[in-house]
Amino acid sequence: QGLGQTRFICTSVPLDGDVCAASALGTGSAEELKGTVLQLRETVLQQKETIMNQKETIRELTAKLGRCESQSVLELPGEGKGRKGFSKNTMGDLSRPAAAETLSQLGQTLQSLKTRLENLEQFSRMNSSSQTNNLKDILQNKIDDLEKQVLSRVNSLEEGKLSPRNESEERGKIESTLTSLHQRISDLEKGQKDNRPPDRFQLTFPLRTNYMYAKVKKSLPEMYAFSICMWIKSSASPGMGTPFSYAVPGQANELVLIEWGNNPMEILINDKVAKLPFAINDGKWHHICVTWTTRDGVWEAYQDGTQTGNGENLAPYHPIKPQGVLVLGQEQDTLGGGFDATQAFVGELAHFNVWDRKLSPGEVYGLATCSSKALAGNVIAWAETNIDIYGGATKWTFEACRQLN
């Protein structure tokens, strides 16, 4: 305790070495230690440099992976309008649904068709005939084949066997078979309703898909005014989607009615937009009309026979162009196609009529109250013979007017 400040010098000694001999090494041992320290420092610097190089490599790989993922998910070639080889959705949509979601939608569509077939079986028991039973067996076999196709596609996807091209071809086959199957069931159902008036039907779009739609056989002529009216029922959220879209060469958004995301319903004419004051997402039938004239772009909106809004300067002095494609239930990014499930209409639609003039408030009220004197569209009239349906959209007897009457 009385030594004052003390300095200790430590010297490493082998386990079998002599401690006294080691303490006498002196300065030679210090030089060795210094060399060891310098070696250790050099090693540390080399390791730091290696780590930095590895970090840079990781950053480069991460960036490349991000670019690959963004191109494969958000920029699928051949769909929509954009720079060559990559897509750009005309409405600024979300990305297209993944393969698993599409398969789920196909499964739901098959289930819907199965339910309709079961209803037909029940009908055939009450009105048994060999022809009906034969048709039922044929349809049941087709549904079984479809289920096998979907299952095969699931297995191929899980094993990574399907290339994008093969997947597209496989999906096309399934959707084509769905359309054919639906048509056979519709024809069989129609046999039960031979006495139904040609306009007493509705279209049902039960799922948000990019393959369920209806197409009007006629194009629109050049129009300097229009009135478009329909019955509509939906509770889809967020947004009911696109009840109709009309595309012409060079302009996919020539005339579109759409409610997507959390936006209000909008009417687009030549990509110009007006927001419509409709409140119809309550799962009940509503009658809506939109009228427009090219002079000053004046428009009016009617809900259930009452005018709820109006405005002007909507694509003024731009006539609606002819030679286009009119689709019900989907928004077009290309002429007759480029559908996106995020903007698909979900719900029921009926009595879609188009006039090349502005209807009077009295005429609109007559349509909304199912008056026997109500007019049919002079450009597009609602009739089963005027519409083709695809991808499992269904036709049923129209109920709204029956409820009102």
Side-chain angles (χ1 to χ4, degrees):
Q1 293 178 350
L3 295 177
Q5 291 185 348
T6 304
R7 184 174 66 176
F8 294 94
I9 299 174
C10 299
T11 304
S12 59
V13 180
L15 289 175
D16 56 350
D18 186 349
V19 176
C20 296
S23 63
L25 290 176
T27 58
S29 178
E31 289 297 326
E32 288 177 9
L33 287 172
K34 187 175 180 181
T36 303
V37 168
L38 290 174
Q39 280 184 340
L40 287 172
R41 282 181 179 175
E42 187 176 349
T43 303
V44 169
L45 289 173
Q46 288 175 350
Q47 288 177 343
K48 279 186 177 180
E49 186 177 352
T50 302
I51 290 170
M52 292 299 294
N53 290 338
Q54 288 175 342
K55 282 185 177 180
E56 186 63 30
T57 303
I58 290 170
R59 275 197 293 270
E60 288 179 6
L61 290 173
T62 303
K64 288 179 181 178
L65 181 61
R67 286 197 296 272
C68 289
E69 287 177 343
S70 65
Q71 288 175 4
S72 63
V73 175
L74 298 176
E75 295 183 326
L76 295 172
E79 297 186 20
K81 297 188 287 292
R83 57 193 173 89
K84 187 174 181 181
F86 298 95
S87 70
K88 178 189 174 187
N89 198 298
T90 59
M91 300 298 297
D93 307 336
L94 304 173
S95 61
R96 303 200 180 269
E101 185 180 345
T102 302
L103 288 170
S104 172
Q105 292 167 350
L106 284 171
Q108 292 179 58
T109 304
L110 281 172
Q111 188 57 49
S112 172
L113 292 173
K114 272 189 164 183
T115 302
R116 292 171 65 194
L117 187 56
E118 288 169 3
N119 294 336
L120 290 172
E121 286 177 348
Q122 192 171 8
F123 175 82
S124 67
R125 289 190 206 104
M126 299 166 59
N127 303 273
S128 59
S129 71
S130 59
Q131 183 180 5
T132 304
N133 287 329
N134 288 338
L135 276 172
K136 183 260 293 182
D137 292 338
I138 291 170
L139 293 171
Q140 184 63 59
N141 289 336
K142 280 201 170 187
I143 285 181
D144 292 342
D145 290 342
L146 264 174
E147 287 183 321
K148 290 176 184 175
Q149 288 183 49
V150 172
L151 182 60
S152 171
R153 188 169 174 228
V154 170
N155 292 335
S156 297
L157 282 170
E158 287 177 347
E159 295 171 9
K161 291 180 180 178
L162 282 182
S163 67
R165 181 177 178 181
N166 291 337
E167 183 182 345
S168 177
E169 290 176 359
E170 187 71 17
R171 177 177 169 180
K173 290 177 185 176
I174 292 174
E175 291 174 9
S176 175
T177 310
L178 272 175
T179 299
S180 171
L181 177 60
H182 158 73
Q183 193 58 52
R184 293 295 300 275
I185 292 179
S186 294
D187 291 342
L188 195 54
E189 289 170 336
K190 192 175 179 181
Q192 303 173 29
K193 309 177 182 108
D194 283 336
N195 297 324
R196 185 177 70 195
D199 65 340
R200 191 56 64 92
F201 76 101
Q202 68 189 49
L203 296 179
T204 300
F205 303 90
L207 307 171
R208 202 181 288 278
T209 74
N210 61 356
Y211 57 84
M212 242 182 231
Y213 67 102
K215 186 162 71 173
V216 180
K217 294 180 180 179
K218 292 172 58 179
S219 174
L220 297 179
E222 186 172 61
M223 296 191 299
Y224 295 86
F226 67 72
S227 295
I228 299 177
C229 301
M230 71 197 80
W231 282 92
I232 201 165
K233 177 182 178 183
S234 179
S235 57
S237 178
M240 68 173 62
T242 309
F244 76 88
S245 65
Y246 176 67
V248 297
Q251 177 52 281
N253 296 327
E254 181 68 7
L255 180 55
V256 182
L257 183 68
I258 186 170
E259 181 186 72
W260 62 294
N262 294 312
N263 302 305
M265 185 165 278
E266 299 171 338
I267 184 83
L268 284 79
I269 300 176
N270 191 34
D271 259 332
K272 306 302 185 293
V273 183
K275 298 184 184 301
L276 304 178
F278 290 145
I280 51 181
N281 276 55
D282 56 4
K284 299 178 181 178
W285 279 108
H286 293 280
H287 187 266
I288 60 172
C289 276
V290 179
T291 70
W292 171 87
T293 60
T294 186
R295 183 170 182 175
D296 295 327
V298 174
W299 61 269
E300 295 174 343
Y302 293 82
Q303 179 177 325
D304 299 325
T306 302
Q307 186 180 133
T308 55
N310 60 75
E312 59 183 18
N313 203 33
L314 174 59
Y317 304 103
H318 170 83
I320 302 300
K321 296 177 182 177
Q323 307 303 315
V325 177
L326 181 56
V327 167
L328 305 179
Q330 295 284 355
E331 192 272 327
Q332 303 173 66
D333 283 342
T334 59
L335 189 64
F339 304 143
D340 189 318
T342 63
Q343 293 173 335
F345 173 69
V346 180
E348 296 165 73
L349 186 150
H351 282 264
F352 178 86
N353 286 275
V354 182
W355 293 261
D356 59 3
R357 63 180 179 85
K358 179 181 173 182
L359 294 183
S360 69
E363 289 172 323
V364 173
Y365 184 79
L367 291 165
T369 54
C370 300
S371 168
S372 59
K373 298 178 181 178
L375 303 169
N378 69 326
V379 174
I380 301 293
W382 185 248
E384 291 193 63
T385 54
N386 291 341
I387 293 175
D388 291 326
I389 55 178
Y390 301 90
T394 56
K395 290 180 182 177
W396 301 97
T397 304
F398 181 56
E399 300 291 342
C401 283
R402 182 184 297 177
Q403 294 170 7
L404 287 175
N405 294 330

